[in-house]
Structures are given as C-alpha cells and as structure tokens.
Amino acid sequence: MIERTLGPASIARPEAGESSAAESLPSRSNAEAYIADRCFARRAPRLIGAELEWLTADLSRRAAGGRAPARPDPVALAAALGPYAPRSIAADSPEWPLPGGSRVTVEPGGQIELSSAPYPDSSTLVEHLSRDTRFLDQLLEPHAIRRLPGATDPDRRPRRVLCAPRYRTMERVFDGIGPFGRLMMCNTAATQISVDAGADRHEVATRWNALYAMGPALVAAFACSPALSTAPAGSWASQRMRAWLRLDPARTHPPVRDWPDPITGYARWALDVPLLCVRRPSAEADWTAPPGASFADWLRGDLDDELGRRPGTADLDYHLTTLFPPVRPAGHLEIRYLDAQPGEEWRVPMLAVEALMSSPRVTAAATARAGSTAERWTAAARHGLDDPELRAAAVDLLALAEAHARTSAAAAELSDAARRCRAARPPALGIAASA
C-alpha cells in the first residue's frame, strides 16, 4: 500500500527543533539497510496516487514590472485555504484533507499542490482529484487567487515566497551551481504519479527499470513548457525538464544503469550525495552544510568539528527529501519527470502509467518498446515529439497503454493521446489541433 500522503511529504520532513537522535545509525551498513526498508516497501502492486502542482497568481496585485499578476503571499494563501492550509504557511492549521481526500501543500514560489490519497484504480483517483481541484478553486476564488495552467512561468522572475530555512539554504546552494535551481523551485510545476514498488526485489527492479526506460518517451509525450522566464536562451519542448536536468546533477542523476539491484544501488547512492542542508535547532540559524560533504561523511565522523554530532534516522529521513531523481522511492515509486498538464489533461499520464504497469507482461513490453530511447533525457526535454525516435516510442507506449486500459473511456483518452503524439502535437494544443 502506498503511504497515506503521496509525494515528498511521504517521507517525514522534520523541521527545526525536532530531535534527530530518535534512533542512531552506528554504521554505513545500518544506514543502507534503513534506506532499503524506508524507501522500498515491498508490497504487491495494487495502488496508484498522484500529486498535481500548479503555479498561482494573485489577481489583485501586479508583479514587478506590471506585466503579470503577482505571486500570492503566504498570508493570503493561508487565509484562502483556511483549515486546509499546510503548517508551512499557517503554523496552527489543523491541515484538514479536502473532501476528496487530497492534502494541500505550498511550494517555494507559491505553487499549490494536491497530494492524493492512494486508490486501487486511476478512475477513482481521477474522480477524487477532480473533485478536490474544483473545491480548491472555490477556496481560492473569493481571495482573487487563481491556479495557472502552465508547467512553467514565462512572465515572472523567479521569486521565493516561503522563508523556511530549508528553502533559503536550497536557493543559496543552487545559485552557486547556476540559474536552474531557483527556476525549478519558483517557476515550474509538475504532475507526479506514484505506484507501489513491488512485492520482492525482482519485481521492484522490474518496475523501477521500466519507469526509467519509459521516462524520456513519456517526457516527450507530455512536454508542454516551451517558455520559462529568465532561463538562458534555447528552444526546448520542456523547459521544466531542462531546469530539472541542470539544477544539481549530483542529486538528480543517479547512475541507475549501473545498478543490478536498485534497492542496494539507491541506498549507496543516497548516502554519497552531498548534503543540501542540515537542520538546526532554530529556524533562524544557518542550515548550510559543509561544502561537498555527503551524508556518509557525516556518518563516518568526518564532520564532527563542523556539526558537533553524528546523524540519526531523522537526519537521514530529511536528507532523503533533498534527493530529486526522475523516479524517487518513498515507500512507493514517485514518477517525477512529467510536466504539469493543461486543463484536465493530467488524467492521461495517470491512465497511461496505470495501464503500462498493470502486469509483469505489459511492463516488460513497455520496457522493450522504450528501450532505444531509455537514456535520451536531454533530447526528450529539448526536442520533445519533434524527435522521430522519441515520437515513435511515445506512440508505441500510448498504444500499448490503450490496449491494456481498465475501461473503454480510458482507452479512448489514450487513443486520442497516441494520435496527438503521432502528429507531434504537445498537450497544450490538444487532439483537435492534430486532426
């Protein structure tokens, strides 16, 4: 079963003042075993969930320069969301779930996310997310706050509205690498889909490898973010994916092709990724980690002088939330490489993933059909469906999904998506434009 709250919140994110010594980590092998158990819950595949993210605007105010609505500030968002607000913007909020079971989170640039409950099929998932999306709009509208349809913000400069020490530190670290970290944090939105990892190591490996193999073709199929404010010049089908690829390769590019066993491979990789930040007792303190130091260095005692203590399991839980691979294990498997979709188009990738992961036979077929494009992440982000090989793989995957859809209605939507991809049309143009 997928954990109740999907997306990044499914791995605990303790904040300032919480103890990091709940459980010690006496050795690297203990830490690797902890990651294996924490990140890969071995269960028979049964559930699907999703996280929908949207850029937002406060229609009552203009952004700097006056060309676009301003980002809503946390006070306005908290007032609009009321008891559904996350504690990141309303410390005393009860954080009620929305009527359809989704929980609301807010990201650094004011993006709003709905993290669904897990459901046994995508039709139920879509029904509940649609209900919660409508309810969310009813909360926001009286406060002149609106969800924006794009996966990237083409008009406003990246500006963080959340002041949590985590985000202050992330921004500082990413700024030292290039412009894309700040852009990803503040000016992008994604559609994330979560599925169960598998009942045993073999099934986990099969499903993990399939989601990675299909990734570039699915990126191309659903790329719809050609414009991104202040991004370096260049023509890209998915500026959101471009930003992800370049924000910090050390934490976004695990060498998955070298891992015969993803459970062991991920656990080792996670410990060797540089620390992004280290929680301190005070939110006003500097959470910057020693430059270049990894969690393994901290565990080994190499940071005793700088940090004054060894890490515990809560510190490791926190570190895991700062890793951003294309597929992230969080008990279940989070697919993190898809652009936010316009309108109701977010339904289609959920239907596709459900069908393509519906049985070992179908998953193996999907992996084979995507094999020739499995490593072409940059080409998928840059060229999208204009690349003939990626377009062919996307059409093949959607046709396979159509053949194994749960319902005739899902099959029809997937057929439309395959036809759109065959005509090399991005989701924003819709099937009517490709007829």
Side-chain angles (χ1 to χ4, degrees):
M1 175 179 178
I2 299 171
E3 291 183 35
R4 173 59 182 78
T5 303
L6 301 176
S10 63
I11 294 178
R13 185 184 292 176
E15 295 295 346
E18 296 191 24
S19 172
S20 63
E23 184 178 335
S24 64
L25 293 165
S27 68
R28 178 175 180 126
S29 61
N30 289 101
E32 290 181 5
Y34 180 85
I35 294 171
D37 290 340
R38 185 86 165 110
C39 292
F40 295 90
R42 264 77 91 194
R43 307 182 183 97
R46 189 171 64 85
L47 299 175
I48 184 169
E51 183 173 309
L52 302 180
E53 182 180 13
W54 297 278
L55 297 156
T56 58
D58 182 342
L59 302 184
S60 69
R61 299 185 299 118
R62 308 304 291 179
R67 294 183 301 170
R71 302 171 190 272
D73 63 47
V75 174
L77 280 172
L81 295 170
Y84 308 100
R87 293 194 184 116
S88 60
I89 60 171
D92 297 327
S93 173
E95 294 188 308
W96 290 353
L98 300 186
S102 304
R103 294 187 182 273
V104 182
T105 55
V106 175
E107 289 300 294
Q111 303 97 317
I112 287 183
E113 295 178 340
L114 293 186
S115 295
S116 81
Y119 295 103
D121 59 78
S122 63
S123 296
T124 306
L125 171 63
V126 165
E127 176 187 348
H128 284 261
L129 275 173
S130 296
R131 178 184 180 189
D132 282 346
T133 301
R134 293 191 296 269
F135 187 82
L136 176 65
D137 286 340
Q138 292 170 9
L139 294 174
L140 299 178
E141 185 176 3
H143 297 264
I145 298 173
R146 178 177 297 173
R147 295 182 296 112
L148 300 179
T152 49
D153 191 329
D155 300 316
R156 299 176 298 190
R157 299 183 64 84
R159 185 179 70 82
R160 187 168 46 83
V161 301
L162 296 188
C163 297
R166 171 188 176 93
Y167 298 130
R168 290 200 305 266
T169 306
M170 286 175 65
E171 186 176 79
R172 185 163 53 248
V173 171
F174 290 152
D175 282 351
I177 298 172
F180 291 103
R182 187 183 291 242
L183 285 167
M184 176 61 83
M185 291 173 66
C186 300
N187 277 40
T188 69
T191 294
Q192 295 181 18
I193 303 167
S194 294
V195 295
D196 284 312
D200 54 41
R201 283 182 175 266
H202 174 74
E203 188 169 43
V204 168
T206 298
R207 291 168 67 80
W208 171 276
N209 291 332
L211 292 174
Y212 267 96
M214 294 187 292
L218 293 180
V219 167
F222 297 105
C224 57
S225 55
L228 177 59
S229 174
T230 77
S235 177
W236 292 72
S238 175
Q239 290 278 7
R240 186 204 63 83
M241 191 63 179
R242 178 197 191 189
W244 173 85
L245 287 168
R246 298 186 176 181
L247 69 91
D248 183 358
R251 71 188 65 253
T252 62
H253 289 271
V256 295
R257 300 284 283 187
D258 301 332
W259 296 346
D261 174 16
I263 297 176
T264 300
Y266 189 85
R268 291 174 178 170
W269 174 76
L271 292 179
D272 291 328
V273 173
L275 293 164
L276 185 56
C277 55
V278 175
R279 293 174 303 123
R280 310 288 183 170
S282 167
E284 285 70 42
D286 182 0
W287 286 27
T288 304
S294 68
F295 195 92
D297 294 331
W298 190 10
L299 186 66
R300 192 166 48 239
D302 294 349
L303 308 182
D304 285 355
D305 289 344
E306 292 92 336
L307 301 182
R309 64 178 179 86
R310 300 287 176 89
T313 55
D315 294 300
L316 183 50
D317 286 340
Y318 197 90
H319 176 64
L320 293 172
T321 70
T322 69
L323 309 182
F324 310 122
V327 179
R328 184 167 71 177
H332 49 277
L333 302 180
E334 296 174 349
I335 301 164
R336 302 172 60 84
Y337 46 66
L338 299 175
D339 281 1
Q341 299 294 288
E344 295 289 306
E345 291 293 309
W346 51 263
R347 301 158 52 99
V348 180
M350 296 179 195
L351 299 174
V353 167
E354 177 186 54
L356 294 170
M357 304 297 286
S358 59
S359 74
R361 179 177 61 84
V362 176
T363 300
T367 304
R369 293 191 185 197
S372 66
T373 60
E375 294 294 301
R376 301 193 63 206
W377 294 99
T378 299
R382 183 186 293 274
H383 303 297
L385 293 169
D386 288 338
D387 183 290
E389 187 180 30
L390 285 161
R391 182 170 66 249
V395 171
D396 282 351
L397 288 175
L398 289 169
L400 181 64
E402 177 192 352
H404 296 278
R406 277 182 180 256
T407 67
S408 59
E413 289 193 60
L414 291 165
S415 177
D416 286 348
R419 191 159 64 253
R420 170 182 63 74
C421 289
R422 192 174 291 111
R425 300 290 186 182
L429 297 182
I431 189 62
S434 65

